Amino acid sequence: MREFVLLSLNGRTSEFDLNDLTFGRIDLVCRAVSSALFVSDHIRRDTNIYVFLNGSDNPPKMISFIGETIKDITPDEKTISRLILAALKKGRSLVLEQEIEVSPGIRVAKKSFEKFVKEKSKENKLFYLSKKGTDIRNLNSFQGLFILGDNLGLPKKTEKLLKNLNAYTISLGPAVLFASHCIILVHNEIDRK
Amino acid sequence: MREFVLLSLNGRTSEFDLNDLTFGRIDLVCRAVSSALFVSDHIRRDTNIYVFLNGSDNPPKMISFIGETIKDITPDEKTISRLILAALKKGRSLVLEQEIEVSPGIRVAKKSFEKFVKEKSKENKLFYLSKKGTDIRNLNSFQGLFILGDNLGLPKKTEKLLKNLNAYTISLGPAVLFASHCIILVHNEIDRK
């Protein structure tokens, strides 16, 4: 099982224009989902990605993409943005901690990133991807949850929380990369084991 | 200098619908261009990507994206597909071997992939990315042109041509990846040197 979580601080939580995904950086989220779930000839059925959107107007929102059961998805931004929009519409009136299914393999919840990682940390090792960490090529085990920020990174208090949860900070090289790029590199490292 | 070339066998060479980039797999081409030119906080000014479109109705077309001078580009599929469409429109009446500028850092030519790699091979080492090659992590030098196919791969006769041009076949791991994923992995390998 491979699991990724992306925190998008500005990611829109109300309806957005499918023709301008750069507003609220939904484009970036779409590429991260695509990188997590797809190889050239099939869907990675062993992979989940959890996206947290903290932008206006209705935060927080968590959208889960479950590789094992997901259907009707292609790797392009247009298709994935439509799925995100459908999730936001369906999840408009959720109360805190409530979660519903949007379509096979896609769920939406009103839940905070911080709550989610606290829960996950009870049974999973946390890996926080950051330029300042230990080189991923020195890791022996990749069992755990890989945590990524968007172009804004993670807030200081969230980084502190991750530290308190004993998250392991890992680096992928000297360049500052998009979340979607980081996911490709993590997958490759695990594929090679 | 880092150089990539992508051969898209079905890539549209006449006008396409900006709202359905999966037709003719322009989506795949856009993601490859995005992966080649962008890191999170800037454009890779040391990188060029040459895209060859061999689909209907007006093949072959070569679109060059030159990192050093390119302007007004963002990493999303929508923006890059608009640039490709503008290049195809401007290059509609080109004759064989003719090349024109579309906008800063973007050029379009009527030129075949085979002619291009033959010319490039005179002064550059060719690296052909394929599952069957030598692991990229065993390479010492990355100076050269990295050659990628799209989801259809390269035709047998093109693979034979590359062999005759002494192209070095390199592998990035066990999974069959999209061109855009391969570019991320090559960049990372060079970033680490």
Side-chain angles (χ1 to χ4, degrees):
Chain A
M1 172 75 91
R2 306 179 187 189
E3 295 199 297
F4 299 91
V5 55
L6 170 67
L7 173 57
S8 173
L9 293 175
N10 279 344
R12 291 281 292 182
T13 49
S14 56
E15 290 186 32
F16 55 83
D17 180 2
L18 284 172
N19 288 312
D20 183 13
L21 303 178
T22 58
F23 181 74
R25 297 318 303 266
I26 294 293
D27 65 316
L28 194 153
V29 173
C30 292
R31 288 196 296 280
V33 173
S34 179
S35 293
L37 294 181
F38 286 91
V39 283
S40 178
D41 49 357
H42 63 273
I43 290 176
R44 289 187 184 267
R45 295 294 178 194
D46 63 346
T47 301
N48 302 333
I49 177 166
Y50 310 97
V51 173
F52 285 83
L53 305 175
N54 273 19
S56 62
D57 295 338
N58 195 4
K61 282 286 154 54
M62 168 190 179
I63 308 177
S64 305
F65 297 84
I66 310 301
E68 189 179 358
T69 49
I70 203 161
K71 279 184 183 170
D72 302 326
I73 185 169
T74 49
D76 56 296
E77 291 174 23
K78 190 88 181 186
T79 298
I80 296 172
S81 64
R82 282 198 188 112
L83 296 170
I84 292 172
L85 186 59
L88 291 177
K89 280 182 178 174
K90 203 155 180 175
R92 196 184 289 144
S93 309
L94 292 175
V95 297
L96 210 57
E97 297 298 312
Q98 191 186 359
E99 181 168 54
I100 53 171
E101 187 177 56
V102 182
S103 56
I106 302 182
R107 300 195 304 257
V108 62
K110 192 167 182 80
K111 189 180 186 89
S112 77
F113 172 82
E114 289 73 14
K115 184 88 191 289
F116 175 80
V117 292
K118 272 183 204 165
E119 289 171 5
K120 274 286 186 183
S121 72
K122 290 175 191 162
E123 293 188 356
N124 296 273
K125 193 162 185 170
L126 304 182
F127 297 102
Y128 171 40
L129 297 171
S130 166
K131 208 181 140 183
K132 292 168 286 185
T134 306
D135 191 337
I136 191 171
R137 293 192 184 178
N138 296 330
L139 287 187
N140 292 315
S141 167
F142 299 90
Q143 279 302 317
L145 177 70
F146 291 87
I147 300 167
L148 304 115
D150 68 359
N151 57 320
L152 301 176
L154 296 190
K156 279 274 171 281
K157 67 169 190 176
T158 307
E159 286 196 329
K160 202 172 164 188
L161 167 68
L162 293 179
K163 199 176 168 187
N164 291 338
L165 295 174
N166 296 315
Y168 201 66
T169 305
I170 55 171
S171 154
L172 297 162
V176 181
L177 301 170
F178 281 118
S180 53
H181 299 177
C182 296
I183 292 169
I184 295 298
L185 295 172
V186 171
H187 267 319
N188 183 248
E189 212 57 48
I190 306 177
D191 289 341
R192 284 171 168 275
K193 299 293 168 187
Chain B
M1 172 76 93
R2 306 180 187 189
E3 296 200 296
F4 297 93
V5 54
L6 170 67
L7 174 57
S8 173
L9 293 175
N10 280 345
R12 290 282 291 182
T13 49
S14 56
E15 289 185 31
F16 55 82
D17 180 2
L18 284 171
N19 288 311
D20 184 12
L21 302 179
T22 57
F23 181 73
R25 295 319 302 269
I26 294 293
D27 65 317
L28 193 151
V29 173
C30 292
R31 289 196 296 279
V33 172
S34 178
S35 294
L37 293 181
F38 287 91
V39 283
S40 179
D41 49 358
H42 63 273
I43 290 176
R44 289 188 184 265
R45 295 293 177 195
D46 63 346
T47 300
N48 302 333
I49 178 167
Y50 310 97
V51 173
F52 284 82
L53 305 175
N54 273 18
S56 61
D57 295 333
N58 195 5
K61 280 287 154 53
M62 166 188 180
I63 307 177
S64 305
F65 297 84
I66 310 301
E68 189 179 358
T69 50
I70 203 161
K71 279 183 182 170
D72 302 326
I73 186 168
T74 49
D76 56 297
E77 292 174 22
K78 190 89 179 184
T79 298
I80 296 173
S81 64
R82 282 199 188 111
L83 296 171
I84 293 172
L85 186 59
L88 292 177
K89 280 182 178 172
K90 203 154 180 176
R92 196 184 288 143
S93 308
L94 292 175
V95 295
L96 211 58
E97 297 299 311
Q98 193 186 357
E99 180 167 55
I100 53 171
E101 189 178 54
V102 182
S103 56
I106 303 182
R107 300 195 304 258
V108 61
K110 191 168 182 81
K111 190 183 186 88
S112 78
F113 172 82
E114 288 75 12
K115 185 85 191 293
F116 174 80
V117 292
K118 272 183 204 165
E119 288 171 6
K120 274 285 187 186
S121 71
K122 289 175 190 160
E123 294 188 355
N124 296 274
K125 194 162 184 171
L126 305 182
F127 296 103
Y128 170 41
L129 297 170
S130 166
K131 207 180 140 184
K132 291 167 289 186
T134 306
D135 191 335
I136 192 170
R137 295 193 183 178
N138 296 329
L139 286 189
N140 292 316
S141 167
F142 298 90
Q143 278 303 315
L145 177 72
F146 290 88
I147 299 166
L148 305 116
D150 67 357
N151 59 320
L152 301 175
L154 295 191
K156 278 275 171 282
K157 67 170 189 176
T158 306
E159 286 196 328
K160 202 172 163 187
L161 167 69
L162 293 177
K163 199 174 168 188
N164 290 338
L165 295 173
N166 297 314
Y168 202 65
T169 306
I170 55 173
S171 155
L172 297 163
V176 181
L177 301 170
F178 281 118
S180 55
H181 300 177
C182 295
I183 291 169
I184 295 299
L185 295 172
V186 171
H187 267 318
N188 182 248
E189 211 57 47
I190 305 177
D191 289 342
R192 285 171 167 273
K193 297 295 167 185

